[in-house]
Amino acid sequence: AVVAGSTRDITNRKHAEEDQQRLSALVENSVDFIGMADIHGMGLFLNQAGQELIGLNSQETVRKTNIIDCFPVDERPFIEEHVLPTVMKNGAWTGETRFQHFLSGRIIPVTWNVFVINDAQTGEPTGLGCISQDITERKKLERQKDDFMGIVSHELKTPVTSIKAFTQVLQ
């Protein structure tokens, strides 16, 4: 019975390690920003795509960074006064916001899905997790579409206005 119990224990541990390796590979190979912070907002982990997106160069730097520092100064009051209290109250928040690249200062529009991570034993909040996507290209396409629609709308109105003016002259 002891041998069977030990074999089962080792097998379970091996499966858990394999699951952990798969999860780690999934996170590290994602093109999305995937990160974790402690309950006070200090960084614990940020995958490679996230580090590249905001200009951090190591996990050591991540651990010295508060999540609020990832946002442009004008965005921080919204994050501190609305988003983070909502996360703590409801367990999560998803929406569009902006990150700021630490080195270049470039503003990066993103979707930000931030959520509470609870202790498995106590259920108490122990940290925050987030998954974000850079939506710079989507925003650029939306602006181009809006610009195009504005031009089309203007062009459509112009002939109608000219025809109305011409008609009034004829009367």
Side-chain angles (χ1 to χ4, degrees), residues 80-123:
E80 291 177 313
E81 296 165 16
H82 175 71
V83 174
L84 293 177
T86 300
V87 171
M88 295 314 292
K89 179 181 177 196
N90 299 336
W93 182 87
T94 300
E96 289 186 14
T97 188
R98 301 172 300 147
F99 289 161
Q100 184 167 0
H101 195 276
F102 279 88
L103 303 175
S104 70
R106 180 174 62 94
I107 303 300
I108 308 151
V110 296
T111 56
W112 194 39
N113 175 15
V114 59
F115 47 90
V116 172
I117 298 173
N118 293 319
D119 182 273
Q121 307 290 317
T122 66

Side-chain angles (χ1 to χ4, degrees), residues 143-159:
R143 279 192 305 278
Q144 288 174 345
K145 180 184 136 218
D146 290 347
D147 291 347
F148 176 77
M149 293 307 287
I151 292 168
V152 168
S153 176
H154 177 72
E155 292 298 319
L156 289 174
K157 288 178 186 173
T158 303

Side-chain angles (χ1 to χ4, degrees), residues 71-84:
F71 299 93
V73 173
D74 66 335
E75 191 91 3
R76 292 175 188 179
F78 174 70
I79 300 300
E80 291 177 313
E81 296 165 16
H82 175 71
V83 174
L84 293 177

Side-chain angles (χ1 to χ4, degrees), residues 27-28 33-47 51 56 58-67 70 115 117 125-130:
V27 168
E28 278 306 324
F33 175 113
I34 300 175
M36 290 183 353
D38 68 20
I39 201 67
H40 306 291
M42 290 305 295
L44 295 173
F45 169 82
L46 184 59
N47 70 342
Q51 290 180 44
L56 296 178
S58 69
Q59 291 300 335
E60 182 180 333
T61 307
V62 168
R63 286 187 286 277
K64 294 177 182 175
T65 304
N66 192 292
I67 59 173
C70 298
F115 47 90
I117 298 173
T126 59
L128 300 171
C130 81

